[in-house]
């Protein structure tokens, strides 16, 4: 397996791995930190190590367990994903049914919940009882980039592991490995998120970022907005651009404490989502984009 995911989290992983080898790994962990910094990669790697047949050099990548896990077909590796934006109680009920039986292939069972903030109240409540009295040989590896939205009762039952934003050289290396690059100024805009860096590397460079759209630096004029709209030739270039704006707005929203700014960021995100829906219905981006860009200068000026 590539070392890339661990560029900045090697020490965190080693600490967890030592606990695993010593049989002291807590049965419920939650990885907390910004979106796109590698929490899920580390969680998945740790899950594979727990399930691997070669305890000391796990995950070996060669045993039956490692191969099943890599193919997404390991019967003892559970991954609970949001359905329609939320993880619902049905998913927890199904999981709990299997928890009453011993693991099928490996000595232990691992349950990944990558977006713990997506648990709805009923699902969180049902999961809580299991976290309080975990069944034998079962490890829960939760993660979230929005700790404030994870039910407190869930947070308090898990040992917290903090993940920091990735340093710029690590981001540059991740981009290089995928044949991509960003100049240092745009790399800084990614704020330590590999996901945002990858999106930015696909978005047209001449397009304004969130700072430019909503901040007070150098306002975007009507002529410029119109010219940008006209310069867009391929609709597929628009998608990574809009996603990079959404992700940046989302990351700020998670960290923002001012109610007024939160409202401005939410309005911003809603407008982008609406614009994206219009584009999917074959609206002409050359006509609509100047309108979208100008919209941000109006109600959001100096607020983001
Ligand atoms: Zn293995």
């Amino acid at each position: 397996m590539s070392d890339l995911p661990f560029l900045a989290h090697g020490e965190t992983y080693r600490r967890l791995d030592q606990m695993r080898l010593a049989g002291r790994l807590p049965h419920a962990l939650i990885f907390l930190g910004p979106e796109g910094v590698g929490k899920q990669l580390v969680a998945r790697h740790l899950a594979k190590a727990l399930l691997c047949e070669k305890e000391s050099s796990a995950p070996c990548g060669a045993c039956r367990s490692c191969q099943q896990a890599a193919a997404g077909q390991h019967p003892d590796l559970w991954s609970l994903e949001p359905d329609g934006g939320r993880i619902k109680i049905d998913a927890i009920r199904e999981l709990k049914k299997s928890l009453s039986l011993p693991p099928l292939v490996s000595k232990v069972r691992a349950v990944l919940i990558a977006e713990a903030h997506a648990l709805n109240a009923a699902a969180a409540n049902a999961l809580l009882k299991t976290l309080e009295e975990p069944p034998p040989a079962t490890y829960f590896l939760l993660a979230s980039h929005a700790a404030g939205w994870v039910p407190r009762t869930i947070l308090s039952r898990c040992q917290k592991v903090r993940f920091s934003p990735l340093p710029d050289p690590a981001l540059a290396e991740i981009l290089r490995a995928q044949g991509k690059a960003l100049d240092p100024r745009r790399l800084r805009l990614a704020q330590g998120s590999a996901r945002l860096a990858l999106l930015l590397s696909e978005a047209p460079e001449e397009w304004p970022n969130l700072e430019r759209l909503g901040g007070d630096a150098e306002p975007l004029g009507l002529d410029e907005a119109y010219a940008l709209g006209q310069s867009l030739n391929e609709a597929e270039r628009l998608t990574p651009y809009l996603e990079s704006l959404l992700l940046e707005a989302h990351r700020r929203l998670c960290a923002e404490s001012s109610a007024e700014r939160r409202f401005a960021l939410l309005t911003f995100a809603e407008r982008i989502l609406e614009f994206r829906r219009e584009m999917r219905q074959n609206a002409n981006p050359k006509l609509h984009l100047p309108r979208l860009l100008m919209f941000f200068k109006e109600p959001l000026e100096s607020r983001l």
Side-chain angles (χ1 to χ4, degrees):
M1 168 149 183
S2 155
D3 286 338
L4 279 178
F6 303 142
L7 277 173
H9 308 306
E11 196 43 51
T12 303
Y13 183 77
R14 270 188 292 281
R15 199 160 42 82
L16 294 167
D17 201 43
Q18 278 164 7
M19 287 197 267
R20 174 186 70 83
L21 287 166
R24 288 189 291 104
L25 192 70
H27 282 263
L29 291 164
I30 185 160
F31 294 177
L32 300 171
E35 197 167 13
V37 300
K39 299 183 300 297
Q40 294 184 38
L41 289 168
V42 173
R44 203 159 270 281
H45 198 74
L46 182 61
K48 283 181 188 165
L50 283 163
L51 299 171
C52 176
E53 291 166 16
K54 305 244 166 39
E55 212 166 288
S56 60
S57 57
C60 71
C63 72
R64 185 170 65 135
S65 174
C66 282
Q67 285 176 355
Q68 284 181 324
Q73 292 171 344
H74 198 302
D76 300 318
L77 178 57
W78 283 73
S79 184
L80 299 191
E81 313 274 350
D83 171 16
R86 306 310 302 267
I87 298 172
K88 297 171 191 154
I89 190 158
D90 289 350
I92 305 294
R93 284 199 185 119
E94 199 188 328
L95 168 71
K96 285 174 106 167
K97 259 188 251 164
S98 89
L99 294 183
S100 56
L101 303 166
L104 292 166
V105 173
S106 297
K107 287 184 194 156
V108 304
R109 177 192 287 115
V111 181
L112 297 168
I113 306 180
E115 297 185 51
H117 50 269
L119 286 160
N120 73 14
N125 210 27
L127 182 64
L128 196 59
K129 296 183 185 103
T130 310
L131 290 179
E132 276 168 351
E133 292 169 38
T138 301
Y139 292 88
F140 290 88
L141 306 177
L142 285 69
S144 177
H145 56 260
W149 298 350
V150 180
R152 278 190 191 178
T153 45
I154 296 282
L155 273 180
S156 68
R157 295 325 186 269
C158 299
Q159 182 154 328
K160 297 169 194 70
V161 183
R162 309 272 174 193
F163 282 68
S164 315
L166 295 167
D168 286 355
L171 290 183
E173 197 166 326
I174 289 168
L175 288 170
R176 236 192 330 275
Q178 304 211 11
K180 294 177 173 159
L182 274 179
D183 63 62
R185 184 188 62 82
R186 298 185 85 214
L187 198 60
R188 271 196 302 279
L189 291 175
Q191 301 166 67
S193 164
R195 195 173 149 214
L196 186 49
L198 286 164
L199 283 170
L200 286 169
S201 74
E202 288 170 29
E205 189 171 349
E206 67 277 17
W207 283 43
N209 58 37
L210 189 67
E211 206 72 63
R212 184 83 200 285
L213 289 175
D216 43 15
E218 219 190 322
L220 193 71
L222 180 61
D223 287 351
E224 195 185 354
Y226 185 73
L228 282 168
Q230 295 299 307
S231 76
L232 183 73
N233 295 319
E234 312 137 64
E236 63 265 29
R237 296 181 82 199
L238 193 58
T239 305
Y241 173 67
L242 293 180
E243 278 182 24
S244 71
L245 288 179
L246 270 177
L247 188 58
E248 204 183 331
H250 184 219
R251 284 163 58 77
R252 288 191 193 198
L253 189 61
C254 293
E256 185 55 67
S257 55
S258 144
E260 191 193 12
R261 288 186 185 178
R262 285 176 72 94
F263 180 75
L265 284 162
L266 277 172
T267 311
F268 176 87
E270 275 171 13
R271 191 66 193 85
I272 293 184
L273 289 169
E274 190 188 320
F275 179 74
R276 200 167 62 175
R277 270 195 301 275
E278 284 173 10
M279 290 303 106
R280 283 191 182 140
Q281 289 159 7
N282 291 325
N284 182 353
K286 285 187 186 184
L287 294 176
H288 288 271
L289 197 69
R291 189 167 56 79
L292 174 84
L293 296 176
M294 287 312 295
F295 167 84
F296 296 130
K297 288 312 296 174
E298 290 290 317
L300 306 181
E301 192 134 27
S302 307
R303 283 198 202 159
L304 293 184

